[in-house]
Amino acid sequence: MNLTVNMLFLCLEEPAPPRIERILWIEQGGSRIATIDIQDKKAWPILHDRTFLEERFASGAIHQLKNDPYQHLRQPDQAFKHEYRVQRDQAYELIQDIVEHHEGELFFSCVLGPLVQKAVKAARERMRSSAEGGCEKERPKVRGCTKTTAYQYLRLYWQRGQTPNALLPAYDGCGAKGLKRTLHGPKRGRPSKKALQNGLPTGVNITDKIKEIFRQGTRIFYDTPKRLCVKASGLGLCQASHHDADHGEVNPGFFTAGEHFIVFGEPAPGRKPGEGTLDNPAVGKHMKATGSDLLPIDDRILRSPDAS
């Protein structure tokens, strides 16, 4: 198996859940390989025996992935905003000496710890000199120069492809309250776990047509004096989604949900059990055995099945 740096592979070893790992370093002339889980926010590089990984590839326990979810970070600088590049450069400045001059040594804690401490000290001295020179306002607002920040930058650098662009601010994963997102092809937002595993985007973008279906469904099934519960409203909305938004009002009618028969305009059934014969007294229980309160019974009705 031809293993290369930055190669992605999917691990399918039970009982552990599926995970995607990236090869960070391959020892020249040796048998050690460093990898990291690209999805775990607390992941850290792990050293493997090369023979062990090759056997896993041969057995089918791990598979190579061709699509890198962070491939977009390898675009030229012109593809990113100027303020993003400024923040990237300052973040990369903190770990630049570590990743560029100490390749294989990084994956040994006895070596990495002193390197991080040295890098943080140098960064603080640069910030102090910038403040004395009156350039503090020109520096972008980023995280402080601490060892925790340095380790976080290293994790991002390794997980996202070992490129300076890995430290670009991920504002695409944040919200934009009050702003309308524009459609540009693939689904917007953070990729799902399934998309990260197979490299194919999942889901759809919300269009004006879908928004109108949600408005109609909410108005009919939820925003009413006798509103359905949230679960029943969702089922009604699923029914409404089968109609085109241009068809006008959706007629909910009747529909079933699980074991309940839902009637539009009536409250959803509660979780408490219904009342039975033990909750209410039987008919005639409080009636006296004698007197004119009892009604006569025609016993012929009980004998004849066709009585009318």
Side-chain angles (χ1 to χ4, degrees), residues 138-184:
E138 300 178 1
R139 300 180 65 87
K141 294 182 180 180
V142 296
R143 298 177 181 177
C145 295
T146 63
K147 290 192 292 184
T148 300
T149 302
Y151 283 117
Q152 290 175 346
Y153 287 161
L154 286 171
R155 180 182 295 112
L156 291 176
Y157 178 82
W158 288 326
Q159 289 181 325
R160 297 179 178 181
Q162 302 188 99
T163 173
N165 284 346
L167 301 181
L168 283 166
Y171 291 138
D172 55 333
C174 303
K177 188 176 181 180
L179 298 179
K180 184 178 179 180
R181 299 292 183 93
T182 57
L183 299 178
H184 52 78

Side-chain angles (χ1 to χ4, degrees), residues 9-21 37 39 61 193 197:
F9 58 88
L10 174 65
C11 298
L12 298 174
E13 298 176 317
E14 296 182 354
R19 65 184 187 277
I20 300 178
E21 295 196 10
D37 188 336
Q39 297 171 296
K193 292 183 179 180
Q197 291 176 6

Side-chain angles (χ1 to χ4, degrees), residues 13-285:
E13 298 176 317
E14 296 182 354
R19 65 184 187 277
I20 300 178
E21 295 196 10
R22 184 188 300 278
I23 296 179
L24 304 177
W25 170 72
I26 301 176
E27 185 179 17
Q28 295 183 358
S31 60
R32 290 179 295 185
I33 294 178
T35 67
I36 190 172
D37 188 336
I38 69 171
Q39 297 171 296
D40 189 356
K41 295 182 179 180
K42 296 183 179 180
W44 200 248
I46 300 176
L47 288 175
H48 299 275
D49 183 76
R50 179 167 187 156
T51 305
F52 173 80
L53 288 181
E54 291 177 346
E55 291 176 354
R56 286 287 183 264
F57 271 106
S59 64
I62 56 179
H63 305 275
Q64 180 181 355
L65 294 180
K66 296 182 179 180
N67 297 320
D68 192 334
Y70 299 109
Q71 184 63 34
H72 63 282
L73 296 177
R74 301 189 178 277
Q75 300 180 78
D77 283 357
Q78 292 76 10
F80 306 102
K81 294 183 178 180
H82 172 71
E83 55 267 30
Y84 295 175
R85 299 198 302 267
V86 173
Q87 295 185 39
R88 173 204 64 187
D89 294 340
Q90 183 177 359
Y92 186 68
E93 186 179 21
L94 179 59
I95 64 171
Q96 183 175 6
D97 181 72
I98 300 176
V99 299
E100 290 185 358
H101 300 97
H102 306 276
E103 186 179 7
E105 301 172 317
L106 300 179
F107 308 109
F108 300 93
S109 58
C110 60
V111 177
L112 181 59
L115 291 176
V116 169
Q117 187 174 1
K118 179 181 177 181
V120 170
K121 183 179 179 181
R124 289 176 177 174
E125 291 179 355
R126 289 194 298 268
M127 292 184 64
R128 190 179 301 109
S129 61
S130 298
E132 293 175 356
C135 302
E136 184 65 25
K137 294 183 179 181
E138 300 178 1
R139 300 180 65 87
K141 294 182 180 180
V142 296
R143 298 177 181 177
C145 295
T146 63
K147 290 192 292 184
T148 300
T149 302
Y151 283 117
Q152 290 175 346
Y153 287 161
L154 286 171
R155 180 182 295 112
L156 291 176
Y157 178 82
W158 288 326
Q159 289 181 325
R160 297 179 178 181
Q162 302 188 99
T163 173
N165 284 346
L167 301 181
L168 283 166
Y171 291 138
D172 55 333
C174 303
K177 188 176 181 180
L179 298 179
K180 184 178 179 180
R181 299 292 183 93
T182 57
L183 299 178
H184 52 78
K187 180 183 177 299
R188 302 186 303 270
R190 181 179 180 180
S192 63
K193 292 183 179 180
K194 186 176 181 180
L196 291 174
Q197 291 176 6
N198 56 29
L200 300 176
T202 59
V204 295
N205 288 318
I206 302 300
T207 61
D208 293 337
K209 182 178 179 179
I210 298 177
K211 290 179 181 179
E212 182 60 27
I213 292 176
F214 271 89
R215 293 191 189 99
Q216 290 191 17
T218 304
R219 183 173 65 253
I220 295 174
F221 295 99
Y222 194 72
D223 292 337
T224 58
K226 295 182 178 180
R227 64 175 60 178
L228 298 176
C229 66
V230 176
K231 182 177 180 181
S233 301
L235 292 173
L237 182 58
C238 292
Q239 182 197 41
S241 65
H242 292 291
H243 297 75
D244 192 278
D246 298 332
H247 289 173
E249 296 292 336
V250 180
N251 182 15
F254 302 93
F255 61 93
T256 58
E259 298 179 356
H260 302 297
F261 186 69
I262 307 273
V263 181
F264 177 69
E266 295 294 331
R271 295 182 177 272
K272 297 182 178 180
E275 294 183 349
T277 56
L278 299 179
D279 298 299
N280 295 294
V283 177
K285 181 177 180 180

